[in-house]
Amino acid sequence: MSSCFVFLTHRLDQFERPAVHEYFDDLMFSVEPVFGRLGAFSGFRRFLKCRRICYDSGGFKFLIKGVLDVDPREVALYYKALGFNDCDFLIQLDLPPSYYMSKSERLRLIEKSAAYYHVMADVLKSSNLLGVVHGWAEDELLYSLSLLEDPGVVAAGSFVSPPVYAHDYIQKSRIALGSYIAKSVLKEKIKSVPRRAVFERLVVAMNLLRDREVFMLGGSNANTLHIMFLLGARYSDGAAWRLATKLYCIMIPELGRFSIGVKAISKRLNDQALKTLKEYHSESPFSFLSFNDFIVQLRNDFITRALWNAWVLKVEEQIANEYACDPDRYYEYLRERWANNSYWRTILNFVWKRMKHPYIQPKLDIFLKTHLKVKKSAEKA
């Protein structure tokens, strides 16, 4: 498996608060906040120092707001006006189907979402654009993938007019996948989606996409990121740092989120958390501050708290890259990490039993015997 990358999710209209682009590579921005006022952000990309960015259409935000008539051509033109480099990613405007929808309703959204991808590909004429695979069942995921890779099939439907044949720009080696893990995504009008269904669908999807570079959407938190990377994802968004900062919380590598404000949104700092925080502080860009001053800054200064939380997500990225090439070691690391966390330990074991594992011949002599036997048979033939 190749390296793993976390794209720190930020607001395009607040990209200077804090200016994470000054310190980190790989950022993600949604274009939804600037709809209707693009003039102030035209040429946005040239102001960013980071090596690589990803634009998100903001499709989910539009769905939350009840806006269902967003034009994929308009989103593509926004991407163009903001500007992008050859190494950047552009996520298509997509329509995720809900778990409790009927089969026909799900398929209709999958078809429409694929059509949106090809419309945007025709406007952008760039392989930077990533289609998003959707569906809850295996046949739906396969159908979604086939539609994204074959504009001729989609063009025969009722969603694309005129027909689109952007064969030269279809990106087949990389694909995006909605994780459906974030609670806000899973919230349904009837009842919540079973946790088993969410992770079973995630494993099925990743097994199907194992030969592609997958950009996972909806990373949610650090623990979720590790599940995604264990399953084989190469890229993921990461919004946890912004939410934690807003809620007066700090993130600590390997331990999670802790409240440092008046309200106990998350668990409070304990002895173990303080010890780990002190260890990582000494290795961080904030080591020029004494530990006591650092704690004061975290509590009182939004920018310090935000940059620390962003840095922690990148530390989690480094941890993932230590194990990503060896799934067995990764599993053992996560099992130890979550030894006292029954929720994540259960999820880990659930996905581990169902994910496809690369076949590795442990004994060279067995390989050689098989190889020589096949070679001898071929010579006789």
Side-chain angles (χ1 to χ4, degrees):
M1 180 180 168
S2 302
S3 298
C4 303
F5 301 93
V6 177
F7 280 68
L8 298 173
T9 307
H10 202 7
R11 285 186 62 93
L12 197 150
D13 56 341
Q14 298 176 6
F15 78 100
E16 291 286 5
R17 182 173 167 79
V20 288
H21 64 93
E22 299 271 358
Y23 313 103
F24 302 102
D25 283 324
D26 304 330
L27 306 180
M28 174 183 265
F29 297 93
S30 169
V31 300
E32 179 267 336
V34 299
F35 256 64
R37 53 193 184 108
L38 181 60
F41 297 90
S42 183
F44 170 77
R45 181 64 175 99
R46 69 176 181 269
F47 297 109
L48 300 179
K49 296 181 180 181
C50 53
R51 177 174 59 89
R52 185 171 52 184
I53 68 168
C54 176
Y55 288 135
D56 180 60
S57 68
F60 177 67
K61 283 287 186 69
F62 287 123
L63 288 177
I64 292 294
K65 294 179 179 179
V67 181
L68 304 177
D69 58 348
V70 182
D71 186 347
R73 292 178 181 83
E74 187 177 3
V75 175
L77 291 174
Y78 268 73
Y79 286 171
K80 270 191 168 184
L82 291 167
F84 55 89
N85 298 336
D86 290 341
C87 63
D88 294 339
F89 294 133
L90 315 173
I91 306 296
Q92 72 151 112
L93 175 66
D94 60 315
L95 301 167
S98 298
Y99 179 74
Y100 290 106
M101 281 181 172
S102 66
K103 191 77 168 181
S104 60
E105 287 178 305
R106 286 188 198 171
L107 294 177
R108 185 184 68 82
L109 283 183
I110 288 170
E111 290 167 354
K112 193 170 184 178
S113 188
Y116 279 5
Y117 167 72
H118 291 294
V119 168
M120 293 182 70
D122 193 49
V123 174
L124 291 165
K125 294 179 170 52
S126 169
S127 58
N128 295 56
L129 181 68
L130 301 185
V132 183
V133 175
H134 281 297
W136 283 92
E138 183 174 4
D139 61 323
E140 295 170 4
L141 292 161
L142 285 169
Y143 183 51
S144 174
L145 182 62
S146 68
L147 292 178
L148 290 171
E149 295 187 339
D150 190 349
V153 173
V154 180
S158 59
F159 296 114
V160 182
S161 180
V164 177
Y165 298 97
H167 290 280
D168 293 340
Y169 312 110
I170 296 175
Q171 176 58 263
K172 291 189 177 183
S173 62
R174 293 188 181 121
I175 201 81
L177 176 71
S179 70
Y180 301 176
I181 289 177
K183 289 182 179 179
S184 55
V185 177
L186 299 178
K187 190 175 181 181
E188 304 272 352
K189 291 182 179 179
I190 305 173
K191 53 185 177 179
S192 61
V193 179
R195 180 181 65 175
R196 180 188 177 94
V198 174
F199 285 98
E200 193 158 35
R201 175 257 176 199
L202 186 62
V203 175
V204 169
M206 288 304 300
N207 285 341
L208 291 174
L209 301 173
R210 201 156 190 81
D211 60 340
R212 292 170 171 81
E213 291 184 5
V214 177
F215 197 124
M216 193 74 77
L217 303 171
S220 182
N221 59 48
N223 289 339
T224 303
L225 291 175
H226 285 296
I227 291 292
M228 291 175 175
F229 290 140
L230 175 69
L231 286 171
R234 185 170 186 190
Y235 314 97
S236 178
D237 58 355
W241 70 278
R242 292 185 67 247
L243 180 60
T245 302
K246 184 179 179 180
L247 296 176
Y248 282 84
C249 295
I250 60 168
M251 298 164 61
I252 300 179
E254 303 186 278
L255 296 182
R257 193 174 76 175
F258 295 83
S259 287
I260 57 172
V262 176
K263 295 182 179 179
I265 304 296
S266 297
K267 52 188 177 291
R268 292 290 187 181
L269 291 169
N270 53 31
D271 291 341
Q272 181 191 8
L274 284 170
K275 179 182 177 182
T276 305
L277 179 61
K278 192 170 186 177
E279 291 172 354
Y280 276 100
H281 163 258
S282 65
E283 303 171 4
S284 76
F286 303 89
S287 59
F288 67 93
L289 292 170
S290 69
F291 184 65
N292 289 337
D293 288 344
F294 173 61
I295 292 293
V296 172
Q297 285 289 99
L298 286 177
R299 287 197 170 104
N300 299 331
D301 185 61
F302 175 88
I303 301 298
T304 300
R305 194 164 60 251
L307 291 175
W308 167 262
N309 286 333
W311 181 80
V312 169
L313 267 191
K314 301 305 280 187
V315 170
E316 296 287 4
E317 175 190 270
Q318 293 174 11
I319 292 172
N321 281 309
E322 288 181 26
Y323 299 99
C325 292
D326 189 341
D328 292 299
R329 282 186 65 238
Y330 204 169
Y331 169 72
E332 290 300 329
Y333 162 74
L334 292 176
R335 191 171 69 165
E336 183 177 348
R337 171 172 171 152
W338 296 328
N340 298 317
N341 189 323
S342 60
Y343 178 87
W344 285 105
R345 191 174 64 251
T346 299
I347 291 174
L348 172 65
N349 291 328
F350 180 86
V351 301
W352 181 252
K353 290 177 182 177
R354 290 161 177 78
M355 66 180 280
K356 286 184 179 179
H357 299 274
Y359 176 73
I360 300 174
Q361 178 54 263
K363 293 187 177 181
L364 182 60
D365 59 335
I366 296 177
F367 166 77
L368 290 173
K369 287 177 182 178
T370 304
H371 171 71
L372 293 173
K373 185 178 181 180
V374 171
K375 184 178 179 180
K376 192 173 183 180
S377 298
E379 289 175 349
K380 285 183 177 180

